[in-house]
């Protein structure tokens, strides 16, 4: 009777767990459904170039063709196309944010069943999954529309783990049945093969959602070692298929993966230090998640220059490894290794694009929080008194949930996002000031924007776009001397900045320095000879110098490019009349 009652209790706990894992994250994250698009959402991903108005599926097949300097995420683009179709031409952010929440909830449910397989305990698995679902460090991945790529990659990766564990369990059950009954089957497509195929397909979809999904074969490898406790060679024999399967897909992503291409150079012998710093920093953020931000500014030079924090993070990373290494409960060690594996491609061992701004980012931990969940369950399972364990776990998770709920409004809009980052890390990253300045500029708050662009330039005098944007504000305000100065600095940093050349030319024209204006417009046309408006502006400058022949020629060139340009027609008419007088 006791066994039957225990089974009934476990069934009730399992049903309660599923309900809790749906309802609680939905309540916590639902506020993000009213948030705006921020950061890269509209400029890079969710826009009319990718999803044309009236036909958002127009580019659906081209997304599967790798393109230079674009992250290869065709599966994510497919789902964004559906959301664009449903939301209409205005790209309503509500649907995009709600979909992020739904995928995150689904990931929690998958992880719950994975943890059940590992720990054979519904309540412990619930606690572990709630840590994954509700930890504040997950806010960035869920509240930022662009990070659907990571959520989808995680969903397919976690499904691959679930299918592998199902294959593994099915294999054991089949072997036991055959051993007991001494029977064989003629059905070559057995359930265990189905699980194997489903795991492989899920892994491919994971990488096609975001290239970081390449880590999941390694996670499967580590889980296999943890559960079977076999030697590395035997484990490799069981998991080699997944590793081989993912290689050609990953190679395909390298043709276009933006984040793998950077001019940043880090000495190969110093990269292990960056790697250990990342581990230590992430451990600190998980234990004390009160200083979360969109940009930490921990570039390789910053990390190496700040010796004290580097040493602390290295000690933290190594100490935790040694503690788990000598613990009897080896799930702690493998949980730690899975935690590291989750962000391995962006750990600093190899350079990647975002390192120009920071090696570490909260979204990079989305997969890794599965490893953190294993560690958490492993630790609380060592608390012998069940009531004590349950009260501690519930209290800790409740506190984390409150922190998560209060962290979410940071992502409400562009200005709130960068206000939080600058408040917590004020003298670290020029990019944060530049991003907030750009948001202020778009909102028409030009004075605030100028202050932020100036602060960005103070932190990084090579930030080309900060000079350019500040120059644009000076231009709009009629401060042409200051505008020319900023455009000149922009062009020193990037002589091919077409818009800076054009705008400096316009500034020279406005202060009657027509020779310099003509020079800038000519350089701009050398870069792009299809700019009809530049021909018009150069023609006006020639006309002001009395060179009507050149002016007429420029107006005519403008009309060849754009025959409907009324401004060019008007100026051509006046130039011809002036010439004939």
């Amino acid at each position: 009777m006791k066994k039957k009652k225990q089974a009934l209790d476990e069934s009730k706990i399992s049903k309660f767990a599923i309900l809790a894992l749906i309802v609680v994250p939905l309540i916590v994250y639902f506020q993000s459904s009213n948030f705006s698009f921020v950061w890269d959402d509209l400029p890079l991903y969710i826009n009319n170039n990718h999803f044309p108005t009236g036909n958002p599926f127009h580019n659906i097949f081209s997304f599967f063709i790798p393109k230079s300097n674009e992250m290869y995420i065709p599966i994510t683009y497919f789902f964004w196309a559906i959301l664009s179709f449903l939301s209409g031409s205005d790209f309503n952010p509500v649907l995009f944010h709600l979909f992020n929440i739904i995928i995150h909830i689904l990931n929690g449910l998958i992880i719950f069943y994975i943890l059940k397989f590992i720990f054979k305990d519904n309540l412990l698995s619930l606690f572990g999954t709630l840590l994954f679902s509700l930890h504040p460090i997950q806010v960035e991945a869920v509240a930022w529309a662009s990070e659907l790529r990571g959520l989808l990659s995680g969903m397919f990766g976690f499904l691959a783990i679930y299918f592998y564990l199902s294959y593994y369990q099915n294999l054991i059950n089949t072997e036991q049945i055959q051993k007991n009954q001494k029977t064989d089957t003629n059905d070559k497509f057995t359930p265990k093969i189905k699980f194997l195929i489903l795991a492989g397909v899920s892994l491919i979809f994971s990488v096609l959602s975001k290239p970081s999904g390449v880590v999941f074969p390694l996670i499967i490898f580590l889980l296999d070692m943890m559960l079977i406790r076999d030697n590395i060679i035997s484990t490799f024999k069981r998991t080699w298929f997944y590793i081989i399967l993912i290689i050609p897909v990953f190679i395909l992503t390298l043709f276009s993966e933006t984040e793998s291409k950077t001019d940043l150079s880090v000495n190969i012998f110093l990269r292990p230090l960056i790697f250990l710093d990342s581990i230590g920093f992430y451990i600190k953020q998980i234990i004390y998640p009160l200083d979360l931000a969109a940009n930490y500014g921990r570039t390789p030079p910053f990390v190496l220059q700040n010796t004290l924090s580097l040493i602390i993070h290295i000690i933290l990373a190594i100490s935790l490894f040694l503690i788990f290494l000598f613990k009897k409960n080896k799930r702690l060690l493998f949980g730690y290794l899975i935690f590291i594996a989750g962000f391995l491609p962006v750990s600093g061992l190899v350079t990647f694009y975002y390192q120009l701004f920071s090696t570490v980012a909260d979204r990079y931990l989305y997969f890794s929080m599965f490893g953190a969940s294993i560690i958490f369950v492993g630790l609380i399972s060592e608390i012998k008194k069940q009531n004590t364990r349950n009260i501690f776990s519930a209290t800790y998770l409740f506190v984390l949930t409150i922190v998560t709920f209060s962290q979410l409004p940071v992502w409400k809009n562009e200005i709130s996002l960068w206000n939080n980052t600058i408040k917590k890390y004020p003298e670290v990253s020029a990019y944060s000031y530049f991003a907030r300045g750009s948001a202020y500029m778009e909102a028409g708050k030009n004075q605030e924007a100028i202050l932020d662009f100036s602060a960005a330039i103070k932190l990084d005098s090579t930030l080309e776009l900060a000079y350019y944007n500040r120059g644009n504000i000076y231009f709009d305000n009629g401060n042409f001397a200051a505008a020319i100065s900023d455009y000149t600095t922009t062009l020193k940093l990037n002589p091919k900045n077409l818009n800076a050349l054009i705008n400096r030319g316009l500034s020279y024209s406005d202060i009657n320095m027509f020779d310099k204006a003509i020079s800038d417009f000519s350089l701009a046309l050398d870069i792009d000879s299809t700019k009809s408006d530049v021909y018009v502006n150069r023609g006006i400058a020639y006309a002001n110098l009395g060179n009507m022949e050149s002016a007429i020629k420029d107006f005519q060139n403008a009309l060849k490019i754009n025959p409907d340009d009324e401004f060019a027609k008007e100026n051509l008419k006046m130039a011809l009349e002036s010439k004939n007088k």
Side-chain angles (χ1 to χ4, degrees):
M1 291 294 293
K2 287 184 178 180
K3 286 185 179 180
K4 186 175 181 180
K5 185 177 184 302
Q6 185 178 358
L8 287 171
D9 289 342
E10 284 295 308
S11 176
K12 288 180 180 178
I13 293 172
S14 181
K15 290 176 181 178
F16 170 78
I18 292 169
L19 183 64
L21 291 172
I22 294 172
V23 174
V24 177
L26 182 61
I27 293 172
V28 172
Y29 289 105
F30 187 76
Q31 61 175 302
S32 69
S33 63
N34 292 316
F35 293 176
S36 303
F37 288 124
V38 297
W39 209 348
D40 292 340
D41 287 345
L42 295 177
L44 293 188
Y45 300 115
I46 305 165
N47 54 57
N48 283 315
N49 289 332
H50 288 136
F51 311 107
T53 302
N55 186 13
F57 298 101
H58 177 73
N59 297 317
I60 202 71
F61 294 109
S62 68
F63 291 140
F64 286 85
I65 302 171
K67 299 177 185 66
S68 177
N69 296 323
E70 282 192 22
M71 184 179 286
Y72 188 61
I73 50 174
I75 298 297
T76 304
Y77 277 125
F78 173 76
F79 282 99
W80 276 334
I82 296 173
L83 293 173
S84 299
F85 173 77
L86 294 174
S87 68
S89 59
D90 59 346
F91 296 112
N92 187 347
V94 173
L95 284 179
F96 290 84
H97 287 304
L98 282 175
F99 193 67
N100 273 27
I101 296 169
I102 291 169
I103 298 300
H104 182 58
I105 290 171
L106 289 175
N107 287 342
L109 293 172
I110 297 167
I111 283 177
F112 173 68
Y113 283 103
I114 294 172
L115 292 178
K116 274 181 64 175
F117 186 93
I118 296 171
F119 292 99
K120 314 297 182 186
D121 188 296
N122 282 316
L123 191 57
L124 287 177
S125 300
L126 172 61
F127 288 146
T129 307
L130 286 174
L131 180 79
F132 171 87
S133 297
L134 300 173
H135 195 285
I137 212 154
Q138 301 286 52
V139 166
E140 180 172 312
V142 181
W144 185 22
S146 290
E147 204 43 34
L148 176 63
R149 56 197 176 179
L151 299 176
L152 286 173
S153 183
M155 181 180 74
F156 290 118
F158 296 135
L159 277 174
I161 293 171
Y162 174 77
F163 287 133
Y164 177 77
L165 294 178
S166 299
Y167 159 73
Y168 162 71
Q169 184 62 59
N170 188 269
L171 183 65
I172 292 174
N173 292 342
T174 303
E175 288 175 351
Q176 289 176 345
I177 291 170
Q178 290 179 351
K179 183 178 179 180
N180 294 335
Q181 299 181 358
K182 295 182 179 181
T183 59
D184 198 2
T185 177
N186 293 323
D187 184 7
K188 295 182 179 180
F189 196 65
T190 60
K192 65 185 179 185
I193 300 300
K194 292 178 185 178
F195 288 129
L196 182 70
I197 293 171
L198 287 169
V201 171
S202 297
L203 283 174
I204 292 172
F205 273 58
S206 176
V207 179
L208 292 179
S209 297
K210 189 178 182 182
S212 301
V214 72
V215 302
F216 280 103
L218 176 57
I219 293 174
I220 288 173
F221 177 88
L222 291 169
L223 279 172
D224 186 284
M225 284 195 70
M226 179 181 76
L227 294 169
I228 301 179
R229 298 186 182 183
D230 212 339
N231 60 63
I232 292 177
I233 295 175
S234 297
T235 304
F236 181 76
K237 287 179 179 178
R238 285 189 296 272
T239 59
W240 67 268
F241 171 75
Y242 302 105
I243 299 170
I244 300 300
L245 179 70
I246 220 69
I247 289 175
V249 183
F250 182 66
I251 290 173
L252 186 64
T253 69
L254 294 180
F255 287 103
S256 60
E257 172 56 9
T258 304
E259 293 191 356
S260 68
K261 300 172 184 177
T262 174
D263 294 330
L264 183 69
S265 177
V266 182
N267 188 303
I268 194 169
F269 296 107
L270 295 176
R271 291 181 191 179
L273 297 179
I274 306 296
F275 168 66
L276 290 170
D277 177 81
S278 298
I279 298 171
F281 178 82
Y282 285 138
I283 293 169
K284 183 188 72 176
Q285 294 299 91
I286 289 175
I287 295 172
Y288 183 79
L290 298 181
D291 289 324
L292 304 179
N295 178 24
Y296 295 107
R298 296 191 68 82
T299 61
F302 178 89
V303 169
L304 296 172
Q305 289 166 11
N306 288 267
T307 311
L308 181 59
S309 66
L310 174 62
I311 292 172
I312 291 171
H313 292 157
I314 290 175
I315 291 173
L316 190 57
I318 294 175
S319 298
L320 204 59
F321 173 77
L322 292 175
I323 289 170
F324 291 156
L325 180 65
F326 292 105
K327 289 279 286 185
K328 186 176 180 181
N329 185 354
K330 292 305 176 186
R331 288 171 179 166
L332 297 174
L333 176 62
F334 281 101
Y336 189 58
L337 294 176
I338 289 169
F339 171 78
I340 295 170
F343 64 90
L344 198 59
V346 285
S347 63
L349 286 177
V350 295
T351 57
F352 57 99
Y353 176 75
Y354 191 71
Q355 269 191 300
L356 292 169
F357 309 103
S358 180
T359 301
V360 292
D362 293 354
R363 61 188 177 277
Y364 294 156
L365 280 192
Y366 193 75
F367 306 159
S368 296
M369 286 305 295
F370 169 56
S373 296
I374 294 174
I375 295 171
F376 179 64
V377 176
L379 289 173
I380 63 175
S381 65
E382 294 186 355
I383 301 174
K384 301 303 180 184
K385 293 184 178 180
Q386 187 174 352
N387 287 339
T388 304
R389 180 187 69 197
N390 294 345
I391 292 170
F392 167 78
S393 301
T395 304
Y396 176 67
L397 290 168
F398 178 76
V399 171
L400 286 181
T401 303
I402 298 300
V403 176
T404 297
F405 194 82
S406 62
Q407 174 70 14
L408 274 160
V410 165
W411 288 82
K412 186 174 183 178
N413 56 55
E414 197 83 19
I415 292 175
S416 64
L417 179 64
W418 300 112
N419 276 343
N420 174 75
T421 303
I422 291 168
K423 179 182 177 181
K424 292 179 177 176
Y425 301 93
E427 300 297 328
V428 173
S429 175
Y431 179 80
S432 299
Y433 286 98
F434 168 75
R436 189 175 69 175
S438 299
Y440 278 136
M441 187 177 174
E442 188 174 341
K445 298 181 177 181
N446 287 341
Q447 287 305 117
E448 292 90 339
I450 287 175
L451 290 173
D452 272 351
F453 292 138
S454 299
I457 290 166
K458 184 178 178 181
L459 287 172
D460 183 0
S461 60
T462 66
L463 196 55
E464 168 200 342
L465 291 179
Y467 290 104
Y468 174 71
N469 282 358
R470 190 175 69 175
N472 286 341
I473 296 175
Y474 286 140
F475 179 87
D476 290 339
N477 290 342
N479 188 348
F480 299 114
I484 288 168
S485 175
D486 274 350
Y487 292 140
T488 300
T489 305
T490 302
L491 290 165
K492 285 180 181 177
L493 294 169
N494 179 11
K496 298 295 184 182
N497 190 317
L498 178 63
N499 290 328
L501 274 171
I502 295 170
N503 290 352
R504 189 174 69 173
L506 292 170
S507 300
Y508 280 132
S509 289
D510 282 323
I511 57 175
N512 299 325
M513 298 179 69
F514 298 113
D515 285 329
K516 289 189 174 182
I518 288 168
S519 176
D520 277 350
F521 293 142
S522 298
L523 289 170
L525 290 169
D526 287 340
I527 297 171
D528 186 352
S529 61
T530 66
K531 292 283 187 180
S532 62
D533 58 322
V534 179
Y535 279 110
V536 173
N537 287 321
R538 189 174 69 175
I540 293 171
Y542 277 129
N544 277 286
L545 291 176
N547 187 346
M548 292 304 166
E549 290 289 343
S550 296
I552 290 168
K553 186 177 179 181
D554 271 350
F555 297 141
Q556 289 172 337
N557 284 332
L559 288 168
K560 287 179 183 177
I561 298 168
N562 183 10
D564 297 324
D565 190 335
E566 294 298 327
F567 191 53
K569 290 178 183 179
E570 182 182 344
N571 278 282
L572 177 60
K573 181 181 177 182
M574 289 190 294
L576 289 169
E577 289 174 352
S578 178
K579 180 185 176 185
N580 293 330
K581 284 183 179 179

